[in-house]
Amino acid sequence: MKRKTIVTGVIGADVHAVGNKILAYALEDAGFNVVNLGVMVSQEEFINAALETSADAIVVSSLYGHGEIDCSGLRDKCNEAGLKNIVLLVGGNLVVGKQDFADVEKRFQAMGFTKAYPPGTSVETTIEDLHQFIS
Amino acid sequence: MFYLTADFGSTYTKLTAIDAEEFRILATSSAFTTIETNIMDGFYSALKKLETKLGKLHYDRILCCSSAGGGLKMVALGLVPELTAKAAKLAASSAGAKVVKTYSFEISHSEQIEIKDINPDVVLLCGGTDGGNKEVIIANARRLSEIDQDFSIIVAGNKSASYELEEILKSSGKDYVITDNVMPVFNHLNIEPAKQCIRDVFIRKIVDAKGLSEVQQMASGEIIPTPLAVMNACELLSKGTKNSPGIGELMAIDLGGATTDVYSMASGKPIAENVLVKGLPEPFSKRTVEGDLGMRYSLASLADELDMDCLGKEIGIDSQDIFQWITHCISNPDAVAATGSRELQMEEILARSAIELAVERHCGIMESAYSPMGIIFSITGKDLTEIPYIIGIGGILINNPHHEAILKGALFKPDKKNSLRPKSPKILLDKQYIFASMGLIGTLDPDLALHLMKEEININNNN
Ligand code: B12
């Protein structure tokens, strides 16, 4: 079976690099073909990378609290670019302060994300879900 | 050992005679070549001129390069503009081609017609990383096959599409070759195999098509595109040989009648600390060619890019007069401005502007983003601010007394800080137009070529 390709990176002006490195390493280790764009990645860069590599999923991280602004419109742009039904996951510290995560998740799903994850989501959960979403 | 090199241009044939034992350039000469007549006529009249200077010539080797017949005309196709389309353009440019246009995504019907009208010699077809997107490159192969022109196709895209591509291209009847991907892995350039294929196609097909078969019979080695010879010379001058060091990082600019070529031999790593590098990594040896910036055939498109009122004010000449001169030059490509004339002033400001634009397109750009931590800077492309040398090459610059002022168009502009152009380079000149020749000699005797180039630009040979 062909290895599944995942594009990952930290969106916006966010420079939190540690989680991104760990996540990319863990996904690679789990058998995915990982295209890691690193930190400060724009929506266009996610889309361009997914187009060229024919990616199966885009895994977006946002740690600094501006996730909502940075992620809005990403699904629409994916649709425009012809990345139809691509799996879009987002996680990290998506919003500022302590908010009810069910609410947060709803807002991200309304933006078109397949799933949004609360702070401290383990890499095991991430991998398990990815297998499920792109099988 | 005596070498003779011949550069067959679109308008001139240029010869250089070299004495390899004495490490000396004996003489150079050039003669007008017309498209209508046999290309060898220009060669023989240039040879006659050389022989009046040197007496009967007995040379051991003759090496040739050519940009005759408009040079190696190419179009490049990729998937995403900033990724494989850009990689395709970089590969074709660094093989010495004139890349007329670059296309991305599936090409449209009107783009298909446009390619037919461009009538390229070679098409470079890329798209997708290995194992990545196949649909677009396959669709574009089909569209290219439908075009009723006799161009060669070089495929350097997603390897996983090669079976389908082979089938499509085989039945198209076109000349084609499939080679390694220009971007096998995301954001990793691999342009050498495509470059090599372009060179092979040039030798195998284009030499004949451009009426150079007689030249090929006479030549001691393969004919290569002139810009590739210049590129090889720049690379040699920069890196040196195992016996003698090069001069390090440099930029070279060739301002021509139809195109403006910019070469940089530099890593282009960011000078400032804490900047993020974005986009496709660019090769140490990079060439860009601007087909819309030139001093004769491309004057109209150059003029379109400029604010003529502003330029006119700078030299105290009415912009209408500049437009008149431009119109005159377009219909008379052999027009020459007299020394000290107003026309020469106009020529100079146009030349400087062409260089400004071409260098801006070649260099990287710095962008800033506001973040909760303050401003964050990122760079796309090469940071060339600290490049120590700019070398002017090509007839227009060599023959202009104010070449230094013209070349200063390449410099960093305080009002355009985001364009990472050279800040305080030494400006040098290829006085006798030997760079293409040295690129050829360098393949046989790199130490000789390096020595002669250093001498030409007055850089100490003892280091
Ligand atoms: C180190 C750090 C920094 C360093 C980063 C250094 C670097 N280059 O990496 C520096 C000092 C630069 C920094 C700056 C800032 N930081 Co900071 N930083 C941290 C800190 C202490 C650790 C982050 C870290 O590395 N964690 C370890 C890794 C392994 O965990 P992780 O990043 O969360 O990633 C894991 C999971 O989240 C998950 N995951 C990640 N992405 C995804 C995606 C999906 C789909 C899934 C399923 C899972 C998943 O998997 C990862 C691996 O296990 C955190 C606090 C904390 N303890 O988390 C604050 C924290 C992230 N920073 C914060 C803030 C506010 C900032 C600043 C805005 C501060 C400021 N005012 O200047 C700036 C922002 C700068 C910028 N432009 O990005 C806040 C964010 C608050 C919020 N979101 O509500 C935090 C939470 C601190 C806090 N409690 O206030 N920071």
Side-chain angles (χ1 to χ4, degrees):
Chain A
M1 209 184 83
K2 203 188 134 214
R3 280 211 301 166
K4 299 290 183 188
T5 298
I6 313 280
V7 169
T8 184
V10 186
I11 199 164
D14 196 333
V15 298
H16 291 93
V18 182
N20 165 262
K21 290 234 170 72
I22 293 177
L23 200 57
Y25 181 84
L27 294 177
E28 188 84 52
D29 207 44
F32 293 105
N33 172 33
V34 179
V35 176
N36 186 10
L37 306 178
V39 298
M40 283 186 73
V41 181
S42 68
Q43 293 192 357
E44 289 72 22
E45 288 170 289
F46 277 110
I47 291 169
N48 287 344
L51 275 175
E52 290 278 9
T53 59
S54 205
D56 300 286
I58 300 179
V59 174
V60 179
S61 295
S62 176
L63 284 308
Y64 69 167
H66 303 265
E68 246 176 299
I69 302 173
D70 289 342
C71 292
S72 100
L74 181 58
R75 173 62 78 186
D76 294 338
K77 289 205 189 94
C78 284
N79 288 339
E80 280 294 344
L83 294 168
K84 286 188 208 85
N85 308 323
I86 189 167
V87 172
L88 274 186
L89 303 187
V90 64
N93 303 305
L94 296 178
V95 292
V96 179
K98 294 234 178 318
Q99 299 186 26
D100 180 8
F101 195 75
D103 252 18
V104 175
E105 166 136 50
K106 250 187 228 142
R107 297 208 294 273
F108 276 88
Q109 276 172 343
M111 276 193 254
F113 281 86
T114 315
K115 195 165 175 188
Y117 293 83
T121 303
S122 72
V123 291
E124 289 78 15
T125 313
T126 316
I127 291 166
E128 224 169 87
D129 279 11
L130 273 172
H131 277 305
Q132 195 198 319
F133 284 128
I134 60 183
S135 64
Chain B
M1 184 77 96
F2 283 86
Y3 293 122
L4 187 64
T5 63
D7 170 4
F8 294 87
S10 287
T11 40
Y12 283 95
T13 299
K14 284 148 272 181
L15 300 185
T16 307
I18 298 124
D19 181 342
E21 258 91 83
E22 300 256 303
F23 269 61
R24 214 153 61 81
I25 291 177
L26 297 171
T28 63
S29 74
S30 71
F32 195 64
T33 326
T34 59
I35 313 167
E36 291 81 29
T37 59
N38 186 324
I39 202 151
M40 293 303 285
D41 294 352
F43 173 78
Y44 287 119
S45 47
L47 188 63
K48 202 176 277 164
K49 284 191 193 169
L50 259 194
E51 290 189 329
T52 50
K53 291 185 199 171
L54 302 171
K56 185 92 190 111
L57 265 181
H58 297 283
Y59 45 86
D60 303 289
R61 290 287 190 97
I62 172 163
L63 303 171
C64 306
C65 59
S66 165
S67 56
L72 172 58
K73 219 166 35 160
M74 285 187 65
V75 300
L77 283 79
L79 173 49
V80 172
E82 296 84 18
L83 296 169
T84 47
K86 188 174 174 191
K89 186 179 178 186
L90 265 172
S93 306
S94 59
K98 175 180 173 184
V99 185
V100 182
K101 196 142 184 198
T102 308
Y103 299 89
S104 39
F105 305 110
E106 273 180 43
I107 56 171
S108 66
H109 183 58
S110 62
E111 286 173 327
Q112 204 182 18
I113 294 167
E114 192 178 51
I115 295 174
K116 177 168 197 262
D117 294 340
I118 290 171
N119 189 13
D121 300 311
V122 180
V123 174
L124 180 60
L125 175 62
C126 303
T129 52
D130 283 348
N133 182 289
K134 302 205 284 189
E135 291 80 16
V136 171
I137 193 170
I138 289 173
N140 282 341
R142 285 214 180 85
R143 307 249 156 96
L144 289 173
S145 305
E146 288 160 16
I147 299 175
D148 183 22
Q149 289 283 14
D150 180 29
F151 48 73
S152 301
I153 299 175
I154 294 169
V155 182
N158 183 357
K159 73 177 167 92
S160 315
S162 58
Y163 274 101
E164 289 96 322
L165 291 168
E166 182 100 46
E167 239 164 66
I168 295 166
L169 294 172
K170 208 180 267 165
S171 57
S172 77
K174 286 192 161 44
D175 178 60
Y176 73 95
V177 34
I178 298 179
T179 186
D180 296 348
N181 198 343
V182 289
M183 197 175 91
V185 176
F186 183 79
N187 239 7
H188 286 265
L189 268 188
N190 173 43
I191 59 175
E192 273 314 310
K195 223 179 123 176
Q196 191 58 43
C197 285
I198 295 170
R199 219 199 110 156
D200 293 345
V201 172
F202 183 81
I203 291 162
R204 183 163 51 79
K205 271 200 74 193
I206 314 302
V207 163
D208 246 15
K210 303 269 177 190
L212 292 164
S213 16
E214 221 175 314
V215 177
Q216 184 61 76
Q217 274 164 26
M218 158 185 94
S220 317
E222 306 285 13
I223 304 175
I224 63 170
T226 304
L228 182 60
V230 174
M231 176 105 152
N232 292 345
C234 290
E235 204 167 338
L236 176 62
L237 179 62
S238 170
K239 293 180 175 168
T241 67
K242 61 177 190 299
N243 303 314
S244 177
I247 68 167
E249 300 200 336
L250 62 91
M251 175 184 278
I253 301 170
D254 185 348
L255 174 66
T259 66
T260 302
D261 297 11
V262 180
Y263 303 81
S264 65
M265 303 295 132
S267 74
K269 294 219 166 64
I271 304 299
E273 277 173 41
N274 291 324
V275 288
L276 205 72
V277 180
K278 294 244 145 189
L280 206 58
E282 295 188 355
F284 179 88
S285 312
K286 174 183 173 186
R287 167 178 182 252
T288 46
V289 49
E290 309 302 339
D292 61 334
L293 306 175
M295 292 301 290
R296 286 296 175 266
Y297 304 98
S298 316
L299 254 184
S301 42
L302 168 62
D304 282 346
E305 298 267 339
L306 303 176
D307 179 348
M308 221 50 93
D309 289 332
C310 187
L311 290 183
K313 268 198 200 103
E314 195 184 323
I315 51 171
I317 293 177
D318 194 77
S319 62
Q320 284 314 311
D321 292 358
I322 306 184
F323 278 118
Q324 232 167 42
W325 171 249
I326 288 173
T327 316
H328 174 74
C329 290
I330 291 168
S331 34
N332 305 282
D334 50 355
V336 179
T339 320
S341 65
R342 290 172 83 227
E343 285 74 24
L344 192 64
Q345 265 183 296
M346 297 188 234
E347 285 278 277
E348 285 166 9
I349 199 129
L350 289 169
R352 196 195 69 194
S353 306
I355 287 179
E356 268 177 41
L357 287 166
V359 172
E360 183 172 352
R361 293 181 197 169
H362 184 95
C363 294
I365 51 166
M366 167 114 84
E367 282 164 309
S368 52
Y370 293 91
S371 83
M373 265 204 323
I375 296 188
I376 297 172
F377 293 100
S378 67
I379 287 182
T380 312
K382 282 177 151 185
D383 181 346
L384 299 174
T385 49
E386 304 272 287
I387 278 240
Y389 303 107
I390 291 184
I391 304 165
I393 50 185
I396 292 172
L397 285 169
I398 296 168
N399 295 319
N400 192 299
H402 303 125
H403 55 82
E404 181 151 345
I406 296 173
L407 280 166
K408 281 192 172 153
L411 299 188
F412 185 83
K413 308 265 177 306
D415 60 340
K416 267 196 188 168
K417 281 200 181 67
N418 67 334
S419 173
L420 301 170
R421 294 184 270 199
K423 282 188 170 155
S424 50
K426 217 170 150 174
I427 293 182
L428 307 164
L429 195 67
D430 171 21
K431 295 184 290 290
Q432 305 180 76
Y433 196 93
I434 63 160
F435 267 52
S437 164
M438 292 306 114
L440 293 168
I441 297 289
T443 57
L444 296 177
D445 190 341
D447 286 310
L448 171 64
L450 179 62
H451 177 92
L452 293 174
M453 278 191 283
K454 284 184 183 172
E455 212 162 68
E456 169 88 355
I457 59 170
N458 288 326
I459 298 251
N460 195 347
N461 249 317
N462 305 322
N463 60 1

